[in-house]
Amino acid sequence: MPRALNGLRVRLVVAFTLVAVVATVTTGALTFREARTGVLQQSQDTVIEDFRHRVNTLVPNYRFPPDAADLQSFAGDVSRGGRSQNWRVLVAYREASATSAPGDPFRELSSSMRESVRSRRATVFQRVSSDGHSSLVVGMPVTFSGRHSTERRASGLEVYLTVPQQDEQGYVDALVTAIERATVPALVLAVLVALLAARGVLRPVRALRRATRSIAQGRLDTRLAVQGSDELAELSRTFNDTAAALEASVAELRRMEAGARRFAADVSHELRTPLAAMSAVTDVLDEDAAGLDDDTATAVRLISEETTKLAGLVDDLMEISRFDAGAAALHLDEIDLAESVRRTLASRGWQDTVGTGLPEPGELRGRVDPRRLDVVVANLVANALRHGAPPVRLDLHAQDDPRAVRQAVITVRDGGDGIPEGVLPHVFDRFYKSADARARSEGSGLGLAITTENVRLHGGTVRAANHPDGGAVFTVVLPLPPDDAAHRTAHSAKEDRT
């Protein structure tokens, strides 16, 4: 189902409309039933009363028992009692009968009604429909009082009356038409009321949705206007209270985070000057260590190593502080990626230690920050050499992602035991070390975190996994600008001309 058809507005309008339809149809049906019953009841009572009065008035004027002529005359006299209606009368005495219109079959009279008139001393009636026409059929026995008793006894004379009800049917049809005509405006009015009600209900809901989106986008000072004292107003107040508490909490967290970053940056900055002096001193001591006794030489070398580690840690902290402060910037340059990787390995003396799979010179170029690419490659290779096992291999190749964006892919794999499954999700966390035995390892715990930030600055991704054949694999994917292919083509053409 489309989202628009499943919205709150549609559901409210449909609900109001259904309620209006049910209410309108139910009211119309009840009104029609009561009005129809009233019209027919009034007509029926009038006809029966007139019929009974007419029969009781005319009976004393005829002899008893009546013959065929008397029955015919009596039927005619009774039929003339109808005021504006056409009365058709059947008079029966034992096996003889006569109608007000000679030859009238009087088909409306059923055998069950005749049996009821013969067995009872009360007037009976029923409505009969035939060929789309409705008629009222009334039957009554003629009774007389005995000489010595007040109980009335049946005389055997039966009188039946049929009255067409076209007028009453016309009233009922007009009533149906009026109800149908009134239903359409009622439904239109119900839909309008539903729209207005839905609008009134949805206005604060829309405001709440906009405010929620604003909060999600970081505008924590967003508040709702509170109107009234209903449930929606209470919801708005709750939202405002929640937003205020969230804003205060986030402000406090940001203040604490900024203070922590500033503290780390300040400490790192203050440590650089004494560390520089210590490094100079340790360099001098290293040169003279050969002339010292063994214990002193060992102590000198230990101090030198620890000073170097501390200097590296301070440099890493300064770099992390720049990332946290948003001060890290890219200085892009068009370079040969394979040549950059070779220089990184050569500058650290790893060209004979690390196996490589690199493209030919000039084959893969890209706009990257050379310094940050050097840091990424150096940190990954150093991590493989420090925590993995030989052989360590670095591969570089190009690929196209599903959106046809060209990418450079760098993989560094070692031949060690791999990374434990519980450690994999945390390898890029700051200061994370996988085991207590590594608490005094050479790494600061920031190398992979710095690698992640440098890759993210380039718009790329880095991930860690275990190779099926053993060892850990780190994969870096860096997007290349779309114009690199054209640049490479032009560069190759220039070399061919040369």
Side-chain angles (χ1 to χ4, degrees):
M1 180 180 293
R3 184 177 179 181
L5 298 180
N6 199 28
L8 183 58
R9 173 190 288 274
V10 175
R11 286 183 292 181
L12 284 175
V13 172
V14 170
F16 275 104
T17 303
L18 288 178
V19 171
V21 168
V22 172
T24 302
V25 172
T26 303
T27 303
L30 293 176
T31 302
F32 169 74
R33 188 184 69 175
E34 294 299 325
R36 179 177 180 274
T37 301
V39 169
L40 296 179
Q41 186 69 39
Q42 181 180 4
S43 173
Q44 167 189 305
D45 293 344
T46 301
V47 169
I48 292 176
E49 184 64 26
D50 291 346
F51 177 56
R52 186 183 294 114
H53 180 267
R54 183 71 176 171
V55 170
N56 291 334
T57 301
L58 292 176
V59 163
N61 299 331
Y62 288 87
R63 61 185 179 177
F64 193 85
D67 55 17
D70 292 334
L71 294 177
Q72 185 67 51
S73 177
F74 184 60
D77 289 342
V78 174
S79 67
R80 286 188 286 273
R83 299 170 184 174
S84 59
Q85 297 174 325
N86 183 20
W87 281 18
R88 294 167 48 227
V89 179
L90 170 67
V91 179
Y93 181 73
R94 295 181 180 176
E95 301 300 327
S97 64
T99 60
S100 57
D104 186 355
F106 223 90
R107 293 189 181 90
E108 298 85 354
L109 183 61
S110 63
S111 58
S112 60
M113 187 171 183
R114 294 201 64 173
E115 182 65 26
S116 179
V117 171
R118 289 174 181 173
S119 60
R120 300 172 59 184
R121 294 187 178 87
T123 303
V124 296
F125 65 91
Q126 67 178 168
R127 295 187 184 91
V128 179
S129 295
S130 177
D131 298 330
H133 300 287
S134 178
S135 300
L136 177 65
V137 181
V138 184
M140 62 174 292
V142 176
T143 59
F144 61 91
S145 301
R147 294 181 178 179
H148 304 289
S149 174
T150 59
E151 182 183 358
R152 301 187 65 84
R153 293 181 296 171
S155 65
L157 182 63
E158 304 165 9
V159 185
Y160 300 96
L161 168 66
T162 299
V163 181
Q165 292 191 310
Q166 285 86 355
D167 294 340
E168 290 78 1
Q169 188 63 42
Y171 297 149
V172 173
D173 293 341
L175 182 61
V176 171
T177 302
I179 293 176
E180 291 176 349
R181 290 177 178 176
T183 300
V184 175
L187 292 179
V188 172
L189 181 61
V191 172
L192 292 177
V193 172
L195 289 173
L196 292 175
R199 181 180 179 184
V201 172
L202 291 178
R203 186 183 296 111
V205 175
R206 290 197 196 97
L208 179 61
R209 181 182 61 185
R210 290 192 297 268
T212 304
R213 288 180 177 175
S214 181
I215 290 288
Q217 292 170 359
R219 294 190 288 272
L220 301 181
D221 58 342
T222 303
R223 298 293 184 271
L224 291 174
V226 180
Q227 298 177 350
S229 58
D230 55 4
E231 289 80 0
L232 292 175
E234 184 63 28
L235 178 61
S236 299
R237 293 190 187 92
T238 303
F239 175 85
N240 290 341
D241 294 340
T242 304
L246 178 62
E247 183 180 18
S249 299
V250 171
E252 179 65 18
L253 289 175
R254 287 174 177 172
R255 186 189 63 79
M256 295 173 62
E257 183 181 5
R261 287 199 303 264
R262 187 167 55 252
F263 175 77
D266 292 343
V267 169
S268 301
H269 181 74
E270 293 298 327
L271 286 175
R272 298 190 73 176
T273 301
L275 279 175
M278 292 174 63
S279 297
V281 172
T282 55
D283 289 341
V284 174
L285 291 175
D286 281 340
E287 295 177 358
D288 298 335
L292 301 174
D293 60 85
D294 292 340
D295 293 339
T296 304
T298 301
V300 167
R301 293 189 184 95
L302 178 60
I303 292 174
S304 178
E305 291 175 1
E306 293 300 325
T307 302
T308 302
K309 290 181 184 178
L310 183 58
L313 174 61
V314 170
D315 289 339
D316 289 345
L317 286 174
M318 290 293 295
E319 187 72 6
I320 285 291
S321 298
R322 282 190 287 270
F323 284 123
D324 291 341
L330 287 176
H331 299 284
L332 300 178
D333 191 12
E334 182 79 16
I335 64 172
D336 185 333
L337 300 183
E339 183 60 29
S340 176
V341 171
R342 290 189 185 96
R343 284 197 301 268
T344 299
L345 298 179
S347 65
R348 292 163 175 81
W350 294 336
Q351 65 271 29
D352 297 328
T353 307
V354 178
T356 58
L358 304 177
E360 295 298 326
E363 183 178 343
L364 182 58
R365 299 182 62 85
R367 285 184 58 81
V368 298
D369 187 325
R371 186 185 71 84
R372 297 189 184 279
L373 179 61
D374 175 78
V375 172
V376 168
V377 175
N379 284 347
L380 292 180
V381 173
N383 183 76
L385 292 172
R386 184 180 302 121
H387 303 298
V392 175
R393 182 175 179 81
L394 185 151
D395 292 286
L396 170 65
H397 66 276
Q399 71 176 17
D400 292 332
D401 74 349
R403 297 171 297 176
V405 176
R406 194 162 177 78
Q407 300 171 327
V409 181
I410 302 172
T411 59
V412 177
R413 178 190 171 192
D414 63 63
D417 297 331
I419 305 173
E421 293 297 327
V423 176
L424 272 175
H426 307 287
V427 292
F428 297 106
D429 294 350
R430 299 176 183 181
F431 299 107
Y432 183 81
K433 296 184 179 182
S434 61
D436 294 338
R438 294 181 52 205
R440 289 292 300 166
S441 65
E442 296 180 4
S444 65
L446 293 174
L448 293 181
I450 292 175
T451 298
T452 303
E453 297 294 341
N454 281 317
V455 172
R456 186 179 296 118
L457 277 180
H458 284 85
T461 60
V462 58
R463 62 181 182 273
N466 289 317
H467 195 276
D469 296 331
V473 181
F474 288 82
T475 304
V476 174
V477 180
L478 298 176
L480 301 179
D483 59 345
D484 281 346
H487 187 278
R488 287 195 305 273
T489 302
H491 182 76
S492 299
K494 182 178 179 181
E495 289 182 345
D496 292 340
R497 288 194 300 269
T498 303

